[in-house]
């Protein structure tokens, strides 16, 4: 499945993963695309910051869903 991470400045990062992928693993894959360290990423769905230890299935994220990717210093 493909998850789309919407970063700042209209940048979209498409990440291929499985429903049992954890948020931490998703960040690792996004790190390859963005070059941003995982420790400096927050992934949010609506107003909820997603926990690194939970899976995409837990949050009911499906193929083609978009999540917000926030980075900070």
């Amino acid at each position: 499945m493909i998850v789309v991470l919407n970063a700042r400045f209209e940048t979209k990062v498409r990440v291929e993963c499985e429903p049992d992928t954890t948020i931490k693993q998703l960040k690792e894959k996004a790190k390859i695309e963005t070059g941003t360290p995982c420790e400096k990423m927050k992934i949010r769905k609506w107003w909820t910051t997603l926990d690194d230890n939970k899976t995409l299935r837990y949050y009911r994220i499906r193929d083609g869903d978009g999540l917000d990717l926030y980075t900070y210093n």
Side-chain angles (χ1 to χ4, degrees):
M1 71 187 235
I2 300 289
V3 174
V4 180
L5 299 174
N6 300 307
R8 297 186 320 167
F9 307 116
E10 303 297 322
T11 304
K12 294 186 180 201
V13 179
R14 298 170 60 84
V15 179
E16 188 167 336
C17 49
E18 297 298 322
D20 292 325
T21 300
T22 64
I23 300 303
K24 183 167 180 83
Q25 292 169 330
L26 181 63
K27 286 180 180 180
E28 290 287 338
K29 292 180 179 191
K31 177 183 172 182
I32 294 168
E33 297 292 325
T34 64
T36 303
C38 297
E39 305 82 40
K40 297 191 176 206
M41 290 183 195
K42 283 186 186 178
I43 296 178
R44 298 183 75 181
K45 180 179 179 183
W46 294 89
W47 293 276
T48 304
T49 300
L50 306 186
D51 182 28
D52 284 347
N53 299 319
K54 304 270 167 95
T55 64
L56 298 175
R57 184 186 314 273
Y58 175 85
Y59 288 111
R60 296 183 179 147
I61 297 167
R62 300 182 196 154
D63 187 33
D65 281 356
L67 302 172
D68 295 318
L69 174 63
Y70 293 91
T71 58
Y72 57 94
N73 294 331

